[in-house]
Amino acid sequence: MTSTISKLLLAAIGLSVAMGCTRTPEWTLFYVADNPEHAEKAIASANMVQTDFILGYFDTLEQCQSKGTGMLRLQGSSMPAAQAFVCAQQCQVDDNEQLNCQRQVLGGALDAL
């Protein structure tokens, strides 16, 4: 009986440690080059960060930009990076189902919007 309680206690501690060590990614890649006819509208609109355009989540801005640039290269796209993708920081969906991000960086540009 004591060994069962010890095992359960050890499992609970292990689970709480594992859950405390998980981190949410800081940056979200919104990639519109796959859908050029909607790219301009998507990037220009206030709600350009539609979930349809999410291509991945990253810990750093550099990782996000590298993935977006790499996708452009793989597709052989001639679309400028500033029109093809946006890296957005700390995005959350609000009560009105709108996606809000603290900061957005167009393509390879380092200047935030």
Side-chain angles (χ1 to χ4, degrees):
M1 174 128 171
T2 307
S3 69
T4 304
I5 292 172
S6 297
K7 288 179 184 177
L8 287 173
L9 184 58
L10 184 59
I13 291 170
L15 183 61
S16 65
V17 168
M19 301 230 4
C21 293
T22 54
R23 244 178 55 209
T24 56
E26 185 86 6
W27 292 89
T28 304
L29 174 61
F30 297 93
Y31 189 79
V32 296
D34 289 340
N35 203 345
E37 62 273 5
H38 298 297
E40 188 174 323
K41 178 183 168 193
I43 287 182
S45 73
N47 189 27
M48 78 87 217
V49 284
Q50 298 171 21
T51 56
D52 299 347
F53 298 115
I54 293 176
L55 190 63
Y57 304 95
F58 305 90
D59 290 328
T60 67
L61 174 59
E62 292 76 21
Q63 290 172 339
C64 181
Q65 290 176 319
S66 292
K67 178 66 173 189
T69 303
M71 288 300 299
L72 278 174
R73 261 191 245 123
L74 283 173
Q75 289 182 329
S77 176
S78 60
M79 181 180 282
Q83 295 173 359
F85 66 93
V86 173
C87 292
Q89 186 178 31
Q90 294 182 349
C91 298
Q92 295 181 0
V93 177
D94 65 16
D95 294 338
N96 297 323
E97 301 290 320
Q98 296 294 311
L99 192 57
N100 296 305
C101 304
Q102 283 188 357
R103 180 176 162 210
Q104 298 174 11
V105 179
L106 288 177
L110 294 177
D111 296 323
L113 290 177

